[in-house]
Amino acid sequence: MLNEQLIMEMKERVFEANLALPESGLVKLTWGNVSEINREAGVIVIKPSGVPYCTMKASDMVVTDLAGELLEAGMKPSSDLATHVELYKAFEGVNAVVHTHSKNAVMWAQAGREIPAYGTTHADTFYGMVPCTRQLTAEEVASAYEVETGKVIIETFKKGGIDPIAVPGVLVYGHGPFTWGATPQKAVENSIVLDEIAEMACVTEVVNDAVPPIPQYLLDKHYFRKHGVNAYYGQY
């Protein structure tokens, strides 16, 4: 039996996180979605498909089980639900997922390029380059597009030996960015950072097309002063 209070709280968090996408300039029209998972309760809450942000309500958020099957009557879930489900299955410690078509990140995804760590703004959130997946095959797109999108993200992290907690985002070739985090708010924050560093990297290469990534010692310093047991940035 569903815990109504827990579901209501999840719906409110997911609703607020979805509203933050257009407010942050990451989304136009209905091009984005946020979800949250509670593994103990066995539920995922996600934005409904194609609903304008200006008319959406917290009660419209869609509730599914961990396989993406509906648990409540109501609106259809985001068409990207199956991708979110695959990420939740593969990435323990990820409690929220965001997908957008934010302009700067999409430019890199369309170019099929990872985003190098050119500076400390990047290093504060992403411990190394932001990877870009390979292109999906015609068979993958035809068979189970959203599922295969999740699988190609997971494949990219496994092949690259990348920790999804240390690098909380990815570019899907020709498509756009997915980010994640411990909370919906944090996952949205990671999307904001990703789009900012995508723009910074693009202009950096215009200014100097031979610029190397920052050295490992500087990447380490900026990442670990915010993350891990020895972090000291902030008040806590």
Side-chain angles (χ1 to χ4, degrees):
M1 186 173 181
L2 294 177
N3 182 323
E4 292 185 6
Q5 180 64 29
L6 180 147
I7 295 298
M8 183 176 67
E9 291 172 357
M10 288 181 71
K11 284 186 174 183
E12 189 61 38
R13 284 193 297 271
V14 171
F15 172 65
E16 293 295 336
N18 273 288
L19 290 185
L21 298 181
E23 290 171 359
S24 302
L26 296 177
V27 162
K28 295 180 180 177
L29 301 176
T30 60
W31 302 345
N33 46 74
V34 182
S35 73
E36 181 181 2
I37 190 172
N38 186 308
R39 290 178 174 82
E40 290 185 2
V43 295
I44 294 170
V45 175
I46 193 167
K47 177 186 177 289
S49 179
V51 176
Y53 290 89
C54 61
T55 62
M56 195 170 61
K57 306 182 296 295
S59 59
D60 295 331
M61 301 301 104
V62 181
V63 183
T64 80
D65 64 16
L66 300 189
E69 299 297 327
L70 291 175
L71 293 177
E72 288 184 349
M75 294 188 175
K76 291 166 53 181
S78 166
S79 58
D80 293 304
L81 171 62
T83 305
H84 292 230
V85 169
E86 291 300 312
L87 297 180
Y88 287 135
K89 288 194 296 187
F91 296 162
E92 294 181 12
V94 168
N95 298 322
V97 173
V98 175
H99 173 52
T100 75
H101 287 248
S102 60
K103 184 181 296 184
N104 297 303
V106 166
M107 288 191 292
W108 286 81
Q110 291 181 168
R113 286 192 59 194
E114 64 189 34
I115 305 176
Y118 284 137
T120 60
T121 308
H122 182 127
D124 282 340
T125 301
F126 296 92
Y127 188 50
M129 60 86 180
V130 177
C132 185
T133 71
R134 62 170 173 82
Q135 180 67 275
L136 289 170
T137 66
E139 292 76 14
E140 288 168 333
V141 171
S143 64
Y145 176 54
E146 290 81 12
V147 171
E148 296 297 338
T149 297
K151 287 182 176 180
V152 80
I153 293 171
I154 296 158
E155 171 193 300
T156 299
F157 277 72
K158 285 183 176 178
K159 283 189 173 180
I162 305 167
D163 178 359
I165 302 303
V167 181
V170 68
L171 305 172
V172 177
Y173 189 109
H175 187 170
F178 283 81
T179 63
W180 44 82
T183 65
Q185 179 185 20
K186 189 63 180 178
V188 170
E189 179 183 310
N190 290 337
S191 284
I192 294 170
V193 174
L194 177 54
D195 205 63
E196 287 293 310
I197 62 174
E199 181 178 26
M200 291 177 183
C202 186
V203 178
T204 296
E205 292 190 357
V206 170
V207 175
N208 180 357
D209 62 6
V211 63
I214 57 172
Q216 186 67 42
Y217 63 82
L218 189 55
L219 180 73
D220 289 347
K221 182 62 178 180
H222 270 261
Y223 183 80
F224 289 113
R225 72 175 188 165
K226 280 193 170 184
H227 307 272
V229 294
N230 296 317
Y232 61 88
Y233 180 91
Q235 298 303 308
Y236 301 100

